[in-house]
Amino acid sequence: MWFHWHRRDLREPDNRGLAAADEPVLPLFVFDPNVLKYGAPPRVSFLLDALVSLRNWYRNQGSGLIVKKGSPEDVIPSLITEYDATGVTWNHNYSGLAQRRDERVAKSLDTIDAAYDTYHDGVLHEPGTIRTNDGKPYSVFSYFWKKWTDREKRAPISAPDPADLVDQDVNNSDDTHSLPTLDDLGFDEPVAEIPSAGTEAARNRLETFCDGPIYRYDEDRDYPTRDSISRLSQDLKYGTIGIRDVYARTEAAMDDADNEAERESVEAYQRQLAWREFYTQIVYFNPNVVTENYKTYENEIQWRDDDEELQLWKDGETGYPMVDAGMRQLRAEAFMHNRTRLIVGSFLTKDLMQDWRNGYNWFRALLVDHDTASENGNWQWVGSTGADAQPYFRVFNPMTQGERYDPDAKYIKQYVPELRDVAPDKIHQWHELSDDERNEIAPDYPAPIVDHKERRERAIEMFEAARGKE
């Protein structure tokens, strides 16, 4: 028998490592303290729910899911010895933390002469397979995208049959198959409502999206109140659905499209899948990018350090309605619409002139779908420090962004109750109103904490100084 070590592949179908062994497989999950210390209540809660779903599926097949806590380099060799197993399979993760962990596990397995096979599974094209003509990893997305679209994609893989799995008595009295609680793992219950987890829930989200919204995605995806996004980000993060399954379903939607506009919309969503892989490649080849700027400036960027402004941003009390709506959605739902993520990110790095890492760390603490590569890539994009990033002189205006993408202020009013009785035009003019008028129509909502025009100019000057320009 072999073990399959589940990590960010908490699913049965479309799982290359799970399907690879030519002997019966016993599934395994290890709660690694070195990984848990970067966790947060929303994600750990989703993880536990996903493991319940995964364990139940295995039980229905007459097998089970072994669950342990400890350092994988200690736990896995011990289990292989205990069960007299041939070896273990696992699927690659691409962060520096994951690569170092896997190296330690491999060395520990070598010491007991145990076999191990590893597989690229979480992306359609593993890092390093799409390169420039000079053989270098891409740092410009448009060129990466062109080759990404031309490459053949693997087909999804079927879930294992019961005969492919090791029989297990899941009703025994020991804790081999028991799952810890949030409290056991050192986390509080999340404040936000967490989406349902597991492969069935993920596939339902995918089907709902591909049955209609995907054909409006290109036109509607920037509008937070329009039902046009997949909400699969946490599923791709934890692998409760396979990327090949997702891509194959979008290709089926492409075939079912009625016109060119719908086909372009499906392609726009596939482009987001490619962005995910572009950022995965960036982190794989540049693991220090998680804590350091990808882009090199001649001088150090002189970010502002203002704890009071940072806290107001976190609390959604900046006096910029679209920014505050996004930050409050983050607290309430452990999620934020992508357009709003760009708006609040630009506000932090340009209007408040704060280090993008402050935003990255706050999002990591609250998001259910936090993914190191994608989140880092997005924050460095909006902070003008990343690969193929937003130019530093292009600064989002939080008021015009709100007026454009939430014209009726429905999104704002949903998350900022102080403004629910205010006319949309007044909300979008909030920064231009007098203090007396603001106090009259929404006395409990704050005035803008900074002047956008003035801060925009200062932010550009900050980046110009970092570039060494007078």
Side-chain angles (χ1 to χ4, degrees), residues 107-161:
K107 288 180 180 179
S108 70
L109 293 170
D110 286 338
T111 63
I112 62 169
D113 293 325
Y116 53 92
D117 290 328
T118 66
Y119 298 87
H120 290 286
D121 175 77
V123 290
L124 292 165
H125 304 294
E126 55 264 31
T129 59
I130 298 179
R131 295 175 179 264
T132 69
N133 293 337
D134 293 334
K136 298 178 181 178
Y138 276 106
S139 60
V140 177
F141 174 75
S142 57
Y143 300 129
F144 177 88
W145 160 249
K146 187 176 187 305
K147 288 188 178 179
W148 188 92
T149 57
D150 291 340
R151 296 294 174 89
E152 184 177 355
K153 312 293 189 285
R154 290 178 182 268
I157 303 167
S158 298
D161 294 325

Side-chain angles (χ1 to χ4, degrees), residues 141-244:
F141 174 75
S142 57
Y143 300 129
F144 177 88
W145 160 249
K146 187 176 187 305
K147 288 188 178 179
W148 188 92
T149 57
D150 291 340
R151 296 294 174 89
E152 184 177 355
K153 312 293 189 285
R154 290 178 182 268
I157 303 167
S158 298
D161 294 325
D164 299 324
L165 303 170
V166 173
D167 291 338
Q168 280 280 289
D169 176 11
V170 297
N171 297 312
N172 55 29
S173 59
D174 66 27
D175 64 353
T176 300
H177 303 275
S178 65
L179 287 168
T181 64
L182 278 167
D183 186 61
D184 292 336
L185 296 174
F187 294 93
D188 296 328
E189 289 288 335
V191 175
E193 183 176 348
I194 305 304
S196 54
T199 298
E200 182 178 0
R203 282 187 158 175
N204 287 340
R205 282 188 278 269
L206 177 62
E207 285 302 314
T208 298
F209 177 61
C210 288
D211 281 346
I214 196 171
Y215 298 118
R216 307 188 303 272
Y217 181 78
D218 194 26
E219 179 180 354
D220 290 353
R221 64 192 172 107
D222 283 323
Y223 296 84
T225 59
R226 299 182 184 179
D227 184 20
S228 62
I229 57 176
S230 70
R231 291 301 294 259
L232 287 171
S233 50
Q234 68 281 332
D235 301 303
L236 291 170
K237 152 74 179 181
Y238 280 108
T240 52
I241 196 167
I243 187 61
R244 289 162 298 277

Side-chain angles (χ1 to χ4, degrees), residues 341-360:
R341 294 190 195 205
L342 298 179
I343 295 169
V344 304
S346 179
F347 189 84
L348 179 71
T349 57
K350 306 296 172 59
D351 289 71
L352 302 187
M353 301 166 61
Q354 296 244 359
D355 195 325
W356 61 266
R357 282 159 280 226
N358 291 336
Y360 173 85

Side-chain angles (χ1 to χ4, degrees), residues 184-308:
D184 292 336
L185 296 174
F187 294 93
D188 296 328
E189 289 288 335
V191 175
E193 183 176 348
I194 305 304
S196 54
T199 298
E200 182 178 0
R203 282 187 158 175
N204 287 340
R205 282 188 278 269
L206 177 62
E207 285 302 314
T208 298
F209 177 61
C210 288
D211 281 346
I214 196 171
Y215 298 118
R216 307 188 303 272
Y217 181 78
D218 194 26
E219 179 180 354
D220 290 353
R221 64 192 172 107
D222 283 323
Y223 296 84
T225 59
R226 299 182 184 179
D227 184 20
S228 62
I229 57 176
S230 70
R231 291 301 294 259
L232 287 171
S233 50
Q234 68 281 332
D235 301 303
L236 291 170
K237 152 74 179 181
Y238 280 108
T240 52
I241 196 167
I243 187 61
R244 289 162 298 277
D245 263 338
V246 173
Y247 185 81
R249 185 62 184 86
T250 66
E251 283 290 277
M254 183 78 79
D255 292 339
D256 292 339
D258 290 332
N259 51 57
E260 186 60 27
E262 290 188 350
R263 285 187 286 274
E264 289 178 356
S265 189
V266 174
E267 185 179 89
Y269 181 73
Q270 292 177 336
R271 187 179 178 94
Q272 296 307 306
L273 300 179
W275 268 108
R276 174 176 174 268
E277 301 199 0
F278 176 72
Y279 285 142
T280 298
Q281 173 186 269
I282 294 295
V283 165
Y284 181 76
F285 287 106
N286 307 273
N288 292 337
V289 78
V290 176
T291 56
E292 298 175 5
N293 294 336
Y294 176 87
K295 183 180 294 183
T296 301
Y297 285 91
E298 184 175 335
N299 302 314
E300 184 177 352
I301 300 173
Q302 297 300 308
W303 304 107
R304 293 184 70 251
D305 185 11
D306 189 313
D307 291 341
E308 181 179 356

